[in-house]
Amino acid sequence: MSLFKRLLMTLVLASLPAWAFAQQTLYLFNWTEYMDPDIIKAFEKKYDVKVVETYYSSNAELQAKLMAGGTSQYDVVVPSNYMIQRMAKAGLLMKLDHKQIPNLKNLMPQFNNPAYDPNLQYSIPYQWGTTLLAYDDRKIKNPPKSWSLIFDPKVNASYPFAVMGSTGADTMGAACAYLGLGFDCTGVDAWKKAAKAVVAVQKRPNFTGFVDGTPALHQLEKGIISVGMIFNGDLASEIEGSPKATKHVKWFIPKEGSEVWVDNMAIPAHAPHPALAYKFINYILDAKVGAQLSNYNVYASPNAAAKPYLDPVLKTPLVTPTAEEWKRLSYVPALEGEALKQYSAIWRAAREH
């Protein structure tokens, strides 16, 4: 290179703004403790980028953040299945270009065209799981594999129990299933019948309150309740970490049906680095990375190619339901607009009764 060219290049580089040399950053907005830090480090090294991860504790919090300007602050978010269409119709999510996600081919067939997001237009599965009914086998012997264990006072007259609170989706779904309306029931008439069952539950002397998945599992371990609604991944993780504490916790997917849920990767509508977001999503869908994520979280992987690398617990029926159990699983309906208002009002009235 001639002296003139070297001088010219020096002048050009000196005129560039500082941001031109800055390391590109991916902004990941995720559930708390839902990502293996080693995966982040490996991604940063592979692509010579930086990842900034921040956290939320509910879908409502995620949606509020995106509506308050977060669509231009985050590159990847992880909403649950029933939020995808609601967020997409609100203009919060980017329609995905599948050509930029070649590892999409690794997905299990049942996740290629899910009911909550046909053809995966706005979301890519990240982790998934089911809602179970768990009980203490020292107190309850050979219970019916049915939601009647919490909804029928003749089946459970005295053993303390809890049901989930939060948005009520699991508890209302369970009530609908128990009444023969299907876990994924919709419509005011069905919701009112389910709400009536929830109100009846609250009047029973052995009802201890609304307790969500992880706290319910801990209450079971401590003997505070004898029956509760939990998430399968929480139990699988606890069995691995605290086998003694979970020795007497048994579980089943009720015969009337239960929930299958999917948390998904999505790109906000105005993400600052969409190209990097696609690289990250594709990276998570790598077979070994997908397995590493599930081995860390102890939640099921939607990645078929990851199966050979999964820990043994992830291949058990507790985490991966049998084909027969799959037939009884449903997604929580994705509600929006007037239907969401009606459902929320009915659930609120039932809970505050």
Side-chain angles (χ1 to χ4, degrees):
M1 183 183 293
S2 67
L3 177 61
F4 173 74
K5 287 184 176 179
R6 283 200 293 270
L7 287 172
L8 182 61
M9 183 170 288
T10 300
L11 289 171
V12 169
L13 291 174
S15 66
L16 290 173
W19 57 260
F21 301 97
Q23 193 177 34
Q24 198 171 22
T25 300
L26 175 89
Y27 293 94
L28 171 63
F29 196 30
N30 199 357
W31 296 85
T32 306
E33 298 181 354
Y34 212 22
M35 170 59 72
D36 183 348
D38 288 340
I39 291 178
I40 296 294
K41 290 177 185 175
F43 178 77
E44 290 177 324
K45 183 177 180 180
K46 181 178 176 69
Y47 291 102
D48 189 25
V49 296
K50 182 177 176 58
V51 175
V52 174
E53 187 176 17
T54 51
Y55 309 97
Y56 55 88
S57 57
S58 70
N59 280 294
E61 182 182 352
L62 167 61
Q63 184 178 28
K65 286 276 188 179
L66 293 184
M67 294 184 74
T71 56
S72 60
Q73 297 173 6
Y74 307 112
D75 294 303
V76 177
V77 295
V78 190
S80 299
N81 50 284
Y82 64 90
M83 296 295 291
I84 300 300
Q85 289 303 317
R86 196 184 306 174
M87 288 183 169
K89 290 186 178 180
L92 301 177
L93 301 181
M94 183 181 295
K95 200 167 185 176
L96 298 178
D97 177 6
H98 289 181
K99 293 179 181 177
Q100 299 193 53
I101 315 173
N103 282 337
L104 203 59
K105 66 181 186 301
N106 288 340
L107 278 181
M108 293 176 174
Q110 61 263 46
F111 296 112
N112 281 326
N113 186 27
Y116 62 84
D117 185 18
N119 299 316
L120 298 174
Q121 293 186 82
Y122 296 96
S123 64
I124 303 297
Y126 176 79
Q127 299 273 259
W128 64 277
T130 59
T131 302
L132 308 172
L133 198 52
Y135 64 97
D136 186 332
D137 73 346
R138 291 169 298 186
K139 301 173 182 174
I140 302 178
K141 310 292 184 184
N142 301 315
K145 302 299 187 288
S146 164
W147 288 114
S148 63
L149 199 53
I150 58 175
F151 286 105
D152 188 344
K154 295 178 181 175
V155 173
N156 178 14
S158 57
Y159 294 116
F161 69 98
V163 298
M164 290 187 182
S166 189
T167 64
D170 290 280
T171 295
M172 290 284 279
C176 278
Y178 169 67
L179 295 170
L181 304 171
F183 192 92
D184 55 350
C185 67
T186 57
V188 171
D189 290 344
W191 293 332
K192 284 184 175 178
K193 291 176 182 174
K196 189 175 180 180
V198 174
V199 170
V201 157
Q202 295 174 70
K203 294 179 178 178
R204 288 162 55 191
N206 52 336
F207 173 66
T208 63
F210 293 96
V211 185
D212 289 332
T214 304
L217 176 57
H218 293 159
Q219 289 194 1
L220 263 174
E221 293 172 336
K222 295 175 181 175
I224 297 172
I225 60 174
S226 301
V227 187
M229 299 168 67
I230 64 170
F231 299 118
N232 65 339
D234 289 350
L235 179 55
S237 178
E238 195 72 355
I239 287 174
E240 281 207 322
S242 305
K244 188 175 180 180
T246 53
K247 184 178 179 181
H248 294 287
V249 177
K250 305 302 178 188
W251 61 273
F252 59 83
I253 295 175
K255 64 182 182 182
E256 302 93 343
S258 189
E259 177 193 18
V260 55
W261 54 263
V262 184
D263 289 332
N264 303 268
M265 297 176 282
I267 304 177
H270 308 292
H273 310 105
L276 189 56
Y278 278 115
K279 287 181 179 177
F280 183 78
I281 292 172
N282 193 60
Y283 186 75
I284 295 298
L285 288 180
D286 173 84
K288 290 185 178 179
V289 175
Q292 183 180 352
L293 179 65
S294 284
N295 291 338
Y296 176 83
N297 286 327
V298 202
Y299 275 109
S301 174
N303 190 332
K307 190 174 180 180
Y309 311 106
L310 294 173
D311 288 344
V313 68
L314 295 167
K315 300 176 184 178
T316 65
L318 169 60
V319 179
T320 303
T322 65
E324 185 59 34
E325 289 169 333
W326 257 106
K327 296 176 183 176
R328 307 203 302 272
L329 297 173
S330 306
Y331 293 115
V332 167
L335 303 176
E336 56 185 316
E338 189 60 30
L340 179 59
K341 291 179 182 176
Q342 291 172 329
Y343 165 80
S344 299
I346 292 171
W347 164 244
R348 194 163 50 247
R351 181 166 178 167
E352 296 173 355
H353 185 82

